[in-house]
């Protein structure tokens, strides 16, 4: 734990660092229910953001306390670690491949930092992994097909909330995404993904899908969207999708946001989709398409069906 403190520039932390003169210790900023200072003369299990089981560290959860430096590979020695979170800081360097040896790891949350390099293949051997949050860093490379080895994965963030992040993932979104049946939240927006969107028909628990602003092509009728019955948000805008918008979207009774604009879709917005607009008693509040007069164009009546028409 001391290695983690020094590796992430603990002397610069703004909360619960070792030195009271330079770092306050606000318990409300400490997750996991513990709020003693790091390096203090008590068990590390009670340090801010830490948690333990039978005296062994199970969580390190630090958020917005000016953590920087790099992620130490020595974390591999925390053999029952379940949560590793360095959120909203200035952590740089690469993701250590040694994290893949922690077979108990469930939550890897490194969003809003300055990490570089690619996702180590070893991460895909963490079969317990449930959440992988890497958005808004400086990561590159592709997403390995080995992601299919993570059957418990339900939350993935790889995108960028511009202008903050600079992730630039490339390659295709692996077809193995289709077998991750626990998936509820998948974002890969504002990257450089190519190829087609995988068949998502089996993702019945999927609530949120955002692949906007990439270079993805092809049609989206390979998915029976009725199979994604839980879907609340789908954002496909800013790609190169073509063909028709499938009528099966109209079966999604929980759908609240659907963005199809800035693509190459043609044809008409299916009446079944218009029927689930909030103006017709449904839950769909936002429906966007290229219905503003440009070419190619989707025929969609404004504002009774589409409430935004891009040119």
């Amino acid at each position: 734990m001391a290695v983690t403190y020094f590796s992430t520039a603990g002397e610069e932390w703004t909360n619960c660092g070792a030195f009271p003169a330079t770092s306050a210790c606000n318990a409300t900023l400490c997750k996991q229910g513990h709020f003693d200072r790091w390096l203090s003369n008590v068990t590390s299990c009670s340090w801010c953001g830490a948690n333990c089981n039978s005296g062994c560290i199970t969580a390190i959860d630090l958020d917005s306390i000016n953590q920087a430096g790099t992620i130490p590979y020595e974390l591999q020695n925390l053999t029952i670690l379940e949560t590793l979170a360095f959120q909203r800081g200035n952590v740089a360097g690469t993701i250590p491949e040694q994290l893949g040896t922690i077979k108990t790891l469930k939550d890897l949350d490194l969003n809003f930092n300055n990490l570089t390099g690619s996702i180590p293949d070893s991460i895909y051997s963490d079969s317990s992994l449930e959440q992988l949050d890497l958005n808004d860093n400086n990561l590159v490379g592709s997403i390995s097909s080995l992601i299919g080895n993570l059957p418990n994965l339900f939350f993935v963030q790889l995108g960028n909330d511009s202008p903050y992040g600079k992730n630039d993932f490339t390659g295709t979104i692996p077809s193995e995404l289709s077998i991750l049946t626990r998936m509820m939240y998948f974002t890969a927006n504002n990257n450089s993904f190519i190829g087609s969107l995988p068949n998502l028909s089996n993702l019945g628990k999927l609530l949120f899908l955002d692949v906007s602003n990439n270079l993805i092509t092809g049609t989206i009728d390979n998915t029976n969207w009725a199979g994604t019955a839980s879907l609340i948000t789908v954002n496909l805008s800013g790609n190169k999708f073509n063909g028709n918008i499938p009528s099966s979207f109209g079966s999604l009774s929980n759908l609240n946001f659907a963005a199809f604009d800035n693509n190459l879709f043609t044809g008409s917005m299916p009446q079944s989709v218009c029927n689930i607009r909030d103006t017709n008693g449904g839950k769909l509040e936002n429906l966007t398409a290229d219905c503003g007069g440009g070419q190619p164009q989707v025929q969609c009546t404004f504002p009774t069906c589409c409430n935004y028409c891009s040119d």
Side-chain angles (χ1 to χ4, degrees):
M1 291 288 280
V3 171
T4 299
Y5 178 81
F6 289 111
S7 182
T8 58
E11 64 277 9
E12 302 295 331
W13 290 2
T14 56
N15 194 62
C16 289
F19 306 108
T22 58
S23 178
C25 201
N26 184 345
T28 63
L29 300 180
C30 295
K31 299 184 178 182
Q32 303 294 327
H34 299 115
F35 41 83
D36 284 317
R37 289 185 178 277
W38 280 62
L39 306 188
S40 59
N41 193 25
V42 295
T43 172
S44 58
C45 296
S46 66
W47 294 353
C48 176
N51 209 352
C52 283
N53 182 6
S54 300
C56 295
I57 297 290
T58 58
I60 301 173
D61 195 345
L62 303 175
D63 188 347
S64 305
I65 62 169
N66 198 39
Q67 62 274 25
T70 60
I71 301 171
Y73 70 86
E74 288 89 349
L75 286 167
Q76 67 182 314
N77 297 321
L78 302 179
T79 55
I80 64 168
L81 188 68
E82 296 180 357
T83 296
L84 179 62
F86 298 120
Q87 303 178 69
R88 285 172 281 270
N90 296 295
V91 180
T94 59
I95 300 172
E97 64 179 23
Q98 290 86 352
L99 296 184
T101 66
I102 308 173
K103 301 308 179 185
T104 54
L105 192 63
K106 295 180 179 180
D107 182 3
L108 181 60
D109 190 347
L110 307 174
N111 65 16
F112 292 97
N113 281 289
N114 296 311
L115 294 167
T116 56
S118 59
I119 301 174
D121 280 351
S122 61
I123 295 297
Y124 302 111
S125 66
D126 285 339
S127 58
S128 297
L129 199 64
E130 297 177 351
Q131 300 185 65
L132 180 63
D133 192 349
L134 303 176
N135 68 297
D136 294 276
N137 278 281
N138 294 284
L139 296 167
V140 295
S142 60
I143 309 305
S144 173
S145 61
L146 295 174
I147 196 172
N149 295 337
L150 303 176
N152 297 305
L153 198 63
F154 70 85
F155 184 99
V156 175
Q157 282 200 136
L158 305 172
N160 298 296
D161 294 339
S162 296
Y164 307 106
K166 297 179 182 178
N167 282 347
D168 192 20
F169 289 109
T170 55
T172 61
I173 296 175
S175 61
E176 287 76 10
L177 179 62
S178 64
I179 65 174
L180 300 179
T181 56
R182 294 193 63 201
M183 187 62 63
M184 299 174 67
Y185 192 102
F186 183 87
T187 70
N189 54 304
N190 298 309
N191 278 285
S192 298
F193 286 108
I194 60 172
S196 59
L197 190 68
N199 186 332
L200 306 178
S201 304
N202 294 325
L203 304 190
K205 296 182 179 180
L206 187 64
L207 300 173
F208 193 101
L209 174 67
D210 186 354
V211 294
S212 60
N213 299 316
N214 280 282
L215 302 169
I216 306 173
T217 58
T219 65
I220 58 172
D221 56 6
N222 62 327
T223 290
N224 175 12
W225 292 96
T228 62
S230 301
L231 201 59
I232 295 173
T233 293
V234 56
N235 192 345
L236 306 181
S237 65
N239 281 285
K240 296 183 179 181
F241 291 116
N242 58 41
N244 295 325
I245 296 170
S247 61
S248 54
F249 278 105
S251 67
L252 303 179
S253 59
N254 294 312
L255 195 62
N256 175 263
F257 181 100
F260 302 104
D261 58 282
N262 289 290
N263 278 289
L264 302 174
F265 289 119
T266 54
S268 299
M269 183 65 67
Q271 186 60 44
S272 61
V273 179
C274 300
N275 290 344
I276 61 171
R277 277 293 316 277
D278 58 327
T279 53
N280 293 320
K283 296 181 180 179
L284 184 56
E285 297 181 1
N286 294 283
L287 176 61
T288 69
D290 296 319
C291 46
Q295 294 294 329
Q297 183 174 355
V298 174
Q299 300 297 319
C300 188
T301 305
F302 173 86
T304 54
C305 186
C306 287
N307 65 312
Y308 173 78
C309 286
S310 177
D311 293 333

